[in-house]
Amino acid sequence: MSKIRAIFFTLAVTSLLHPESAMDIIRRVDSNEDFVTQKYTATMVITRGSRELKKTMTGYGASRGEKAFIEFTNPADKGVKYLKLNNELWIYFPDADDIMKISGHMLRQGMMGSDLSYEDMMRAEKLEEDYSAKLLEDKTIRGRSCYQVELAAKTPEALFARQIIFVDKEWYTAHSVELYAHGGRLLKTMELQDIKLFQGKYVPTKTVIEDKRRKNSKTTLILHSIEINGELADSVFTHKNLRK
Amino acid sequence: MRYIGSFILPFALLASEISLTGALRNDAMVTSRRESAAYSDKLHEFNNILETGIVLEAENEDWKYYGDARAYFYEGSSVGSTSGNGRSEDVKLMRSFLRYTSGIGTTTLGKAFVNVGNGGLFNPFEIRKLVTFSDLSYTREGFLLASQTVNWQDTSELLVYAGSPNPFNYDPFWGISPGFHFSGMQGGLVVSHARADHNNAGIFLKGDYGAGFHGSWNTVLSDEGNYRYNEAVAGMDYSVNAQWFFDAGGYYNQSGADNPAEYETSETAYLSAEYYAFFSANYIPDEFLQMGVMAFINATDGSTLLLPSVTTFLSTGLSATLLFVLPTATGQTEFSQDLYGAATTLVRVEGKF
């Protein structure tokens, strides 16, 4: 018995001397964001100065972000649908009853004019696979103690050259993200707020995205409901469902 | 045609989800002329079009009903006489169809669009060819048709359709179009009959490898096979910083006239001459503002139509547009000030609710 106690004591002391590595933290962030399926309703508020546009949507996701389907439900955009299958993105326009593929340079446009680009939407990267990680000085964000992790892209194909992520020390979810271009310029910031626990996953119910290339502009995503790892038919993520 | 809606509407009552949306649009146009036209003694003509629309959607697990009805109120010199302005009204059922989604694809029955080829400006495979320069996103009126799409593993699609623009006047159209998409490329073939003596066989491609490109080639054959001509469109697009958008291309119609004295207009050709070039440059800094200019150049007679515009989005679903239609040439040319006026100013206010 005393030997077992000694082993536990040694492990505890070792973990204090060597706190979690940056990559361990990122693995736990990836794990918290992992899902088999998800279904949600949300509102996207695009703000420019004192003006704002509101768009409501119902979204579905599967295969850990490889598949996504979004349908806009507000009157001005009603019936506009997006389908993401791996690295391909399609849009259905009800006014034309037609489907268009978004690719190449068009992916850099803001989704529905927001600060969130189609490229951002296409991102289903696992941070652990695409970036190397380094721990910086801890910081408190909105009253929560956070690790500050710097990520550097391992390949030139990574969407951002560098990311700074502030990860909650207890929940292992990001509170704040800074995204930098390959030239070193700060491109976007994301503030992930009102984090709540849904089916074992910590999910931000309010996300504020600012594209730093735009002046006085921000996009707020407000999550109204989410169902994680529920049953979802494969037929949701098909071209047929766009035209349906 | 207007009875289709009342026939299909009862099906909508069985739907589990019903939605009704509306739109209101007003186009106020002033056309300035250097000299009075043959049909009007005024140098400044005013026209106004108020359009109201209602879209009804009713859907169930496997099927949906979609209906789009519009009412138009016209006022101005184009519906008046030489002595003054006039007024008229019109009601149109733009689309009214049932769509069933099965394991293999979608079946559409009713008054609907059939989208063949790449779509966009000067698509050679359109059944009825129409271009409205003051409204390039003009919503077409559907045709009475039956169509079936068959999807295979989300990499290819087969479209089969048949219908008629007017069921009381036998003038059927039909077609078959297999399409594919692979990596950054999509394309397909079209074999169709658009109307009497207009049988199409063609190919279309579209892709994006840093810059976007698209191209379509169509050969039109008469029913007897003793007359044929080619029609093609090709273009490229590129954007800078996701705010500046550029588009350029050309349109070729072998049946077009090479002499302005022989220009004709018909539903079988978008424009009258043989060669055209077009380009556009747009600046879209955000969701609230977009401004740009389009140009259409008739390469046969050298006339050009310039369309500068600015659109602002005032709030969710509400926008305002200022558009100018500026022909540069005079005399017997296609984009002539003698035909279009020296300048047309259009103010458009549009709301969706």
Side-chain angles (χ1 to χ4, degrees):
Chain A
M1 196 66 171
S2 62
K3 277 187 180 176
I4 295 169
R5 275 190 197 147
I7 291 165
F8 272 114
F9 178 77
T10 308
L11 284 172
V13 169
T14 309
S15 68
L16 282 172
L17 292 174
H18 304 282
E20 274 185 299
S21 73
M23 198 43 83
D24 287 338
I25 294 163
I26 290 306
R27 275 191 204 106
R28 294 186 71 164
V29 171
D30 275 340
S31 170
N32 182 64
E33 291 175 357
D34 243 3
F35 61 86
V36 180
T37 66
Q38 63 174 8
K39 181 185 175 185
Y40 59 89
T41 57
T43 297
M44 182 161 75
V45 184
I46 304 165
T47 309
R48 174 87 193 225
S50 59
R51 289 192 291 176
E52 66 177 33
L53 302 177
K54 283 186 182 173
K55 297 167 190 291
T56 55
M57 66 185 97
T58 301
Y60 306 84
S63 304
R64 292 167 171 81
E66 292 293 323
K67 295 178 180 178
F69 188 90
I70 297 171
E71 180 171 6
F72 284 83
T73 51
N74 58 299
D77 305 295
K78 190 171 186 322
V80 173
K81 298 173 190 173
Y82 286 83
L83 171 66
K84 179 200 161 192
L85 291 173
N86 301 315
N87 293 318
E88 298 193 326
L89 184 66
W90 306 83
I91 306 183
Y92 171 76
F93 297 102
D95 285 350
D97 194 16
D98 207 2
I99 295 170
M100 193 175 103
K101 187 176 181 183
I102 300 286
S103 60
H105 70 94
M106 300 294 281
L107 288 168
R108 292 192 286 271
Q109 280 187 63
M111 181 193 178
M112 302 293 274
S114 72
D115 295 77
L116 188 73
S117 73
Y118 293 115
E119 270 179 336
D120 296 337
M121 185 190 166
M122 297 294 286
R123 199 159 58 110
E125 61 190 3
K126 281 213 161 201
L127 297 175
E128 181 191 346
E129 291 169 8
D130 296 343
Y131 294 88
S132 58
K134 188 170 86 178
L135 263 177
L136 303 178
E137 193 181 348
D138 292 354
K139 201 174 169 186
T140 301
I141 305 278
R142 288 181 284 280
R144 299 286 303 178
S145 181
C146 292
Y147 295 114
Q148 184 179 178
V149 184
E150 183 186 51
L151 299 177
K154 288 180 190 171
T155 62
E157 285 77 37
L159 200 51
F160 301 102
R162 193 166 73 99
Q163 300 190 29
I164 304 280
I165 304 184
F166 297 91
V167 180
D168 192 292
K169 285 186 170 180
E170 185 186 353
W171 298 339
Y172 290 92
T173 184
H175 281 282
S176 181
V177 181
E178 295 170 3
L179 303 165
Y180 293 85
H182 287 275
R185 182 182 174 196
L186 178 62
L187 284 179
K188 290 182 185 182
T189 60
M190 293 169 72
E191 294 299 320
L192 301 103
Q193 304 168 10
D194 300 340
I195 295 167
K196 292 177 182 166
L197 189 64
F198 294 91
Q199 285 110 45
K201 305 279 186 191
Y202 287 98
V203 179
T205 58
K206 183 180 176 185
T207 304
V208 183
I209 304 153
E210 285 187 41
D211 186 333
K212 294 298 180 184
R213 292 164 294 186
R214 297 175 169 189
K215 285 179 185 169
N216 297 321
S217 174
K218 68 176 180 184
T219 297
T220 307
L221 278 167
I222 300 161
L223 190 70
H224 302 299
S225 68
I226 186 163
E227 188 185 327
I228 295 171
N229 297 340
E231 273 192 33
L232 214 52
D234 281 345
S235 59
V236 170
F237 307 100
T238 59
H239 284 242
K240 277 181 303 191
N241 200 33
L242 282 173
R243 226 179 237 118
K244 191 173 168 183
Chain B
M1 198 72 90
R2 290 172 192 169
Y3 300 106
I4 299 164
S6 53
F7 169 71
I8 290 173
L9 194 60
F11 289 93
L13 301 176
L14 300 170
S16 62
E17 195 180 324
I18 295 176
S19 71
L20 194 65
T21 52
L24 196 64
R25 188 167 90 162
N26 195 83
D27 280 4
M29 285 167 284
V30 176
T31 300
S32 304
R33 298 187 180 281
R34 291 183 194 279
E35 295 171 11
S36 58
Y39 59 87
S40 171
D41 55 5
K42 293 179 178 173
L43 289 177
H44 299 286
E45 294 174 20
F46 174 75
N47 284 289
N48 194 79
I49 304 170
L50 174 64
E51 177 186 336
T52 61
I54 287 176
V55 173
L56 171 68
E57 284 180 86
E59 54 188 289
N60 241 327
E61 184 70 17
D62 299 324
W63 60 267
K64 80 167 177 183
Y65 166 77
Y66 187 100
D68 179 354
R70 311 271 175 96
Y72 297 88
F73 302 92
Y74 302 97
E75 184 172 358
S77 54
S78 64
V79 285
S81 63
T82 52
S83 58
N85 291 345
R87 285 182 184 176
S88 71
E89 302 82 37
D90 195 10
V91 177
K92 285 183 182 175
L93 185 63
M94 305 297 278
R95 286 182 286 169
S96 178
F97 62 84
L98 274 174
R99 176 162 292 162
Y100 177 72
T101 305
S102 66
I104 56 164
T106 52
T107 309
T108 303
L109 187 66
K111 191 175 184 182
F113 298 150
V114 56
N115 295 304
V116 192
N118 282 333
L121 270 175
F122 305 128
N123 176 11
F125 305 113
E126 278 286 350
I127 295 165
R128 298 292 179 267
K129 291 166 181 167
L130 177 71
V131 59
T132 307
F133 290 109
S134 60
D135 188 1
L136 290 167
S137 60
Y138 173 79
T139 309
R140 299 163 292 165
E141 194 174 342
F143 299 117
L144 189 65
L145 58 82
S147 72
Q148 176 72 48
T149 59
V150 179
N151 297 92
W152 186 71
Q153 290 191 346
D154 281 318
T155 56
S156 57
E157 183 178 277
L158 177 69
L159 169 67
V160 183
Y161 60 90
S164 172
N166 184 350
F168 303 110
N169 177 17
Y170 184 71
D171 187 15
F173 61 80
W174 54 262
I176 181 165
S177 175
F180 74 91
H181 51 89
F182 175 74
S183 185
M185 177 88 84
Q186 59 189 113
L189 304 170
V190 179
V191 175
S192 69
H193 171 83
R195 59 168 62 202
D197 279 326
H198 282 81
N199 302 289
N200 303 306
I203 186 170
F204 60 92
L205 279 173
K206 192 177 183 180
D208 198 312
Y209 297 95
F213 69 88
H214 64 92
S216 304
W217 182 277
N218 183 30
T219 298
V220 182
L221 280 156
S222 64
D223 292 344
E224 301 295 325
N226 53 356
Y227 171 71
R228 77 171 190 184
Y229 66 88
N230 297 306
E231 191 180 2
V233 66
M236 289 191 74
D237 54 90
Y238 188 68
S239 65
V240 178
N241 291 334
Q243 291 187 326
W244 288 93
F245 299 86
F246 303 96
D247 193 349
Y251 172 61
Y252 166 62
N253 180 5
Q254 196 177 11
S255 72
D258 54 10
N259 180 351
E262 295 168 7
Y263 284 167
E264 289 177 358
T265 55
S266 79
E267 284 187 328
T268 61
Y270 289 105
L271 296 164
S272 305
E274 203 169 350
Y275 297 101
Y276 293 88
F278 55 88
F279 81 87
S280 70
N282 286 287
Y283 175 58
I284 307 174
D286 54 46
E287 178 73 348
F288 296 91
L289 181 71
Q290 58 187 64
M291 59 181 83
V293 62
M294 286 198 80
F296 294 90
I297 301 157
N298 179 324
T300 303
D301 64 27
S303 62
T304 300
L305 199 62
L306 292 171
L307 302 158
S309 69
V310 57
T311 297
T312 180
F313 293 85
L314 305 165
S315 65
T316 306
L318 183 64
S319 64
T321 298
L322 177 65
L323 170 86
F324 299 97
V325 180
L326 306 171
T328 60
T330 55
Q332 197 174 36
T333 55
E334 186 166 29
F335 303 132
S336 170
Q337 292 183 4
D338 298 353
L339 191 66
Y340 283 86
T344 296
T345 305
L346 181 148
V347 177
R348 173 176 298 148
V349 179
E350 190 169 11
K352 289 182 177 178
F353 47 88

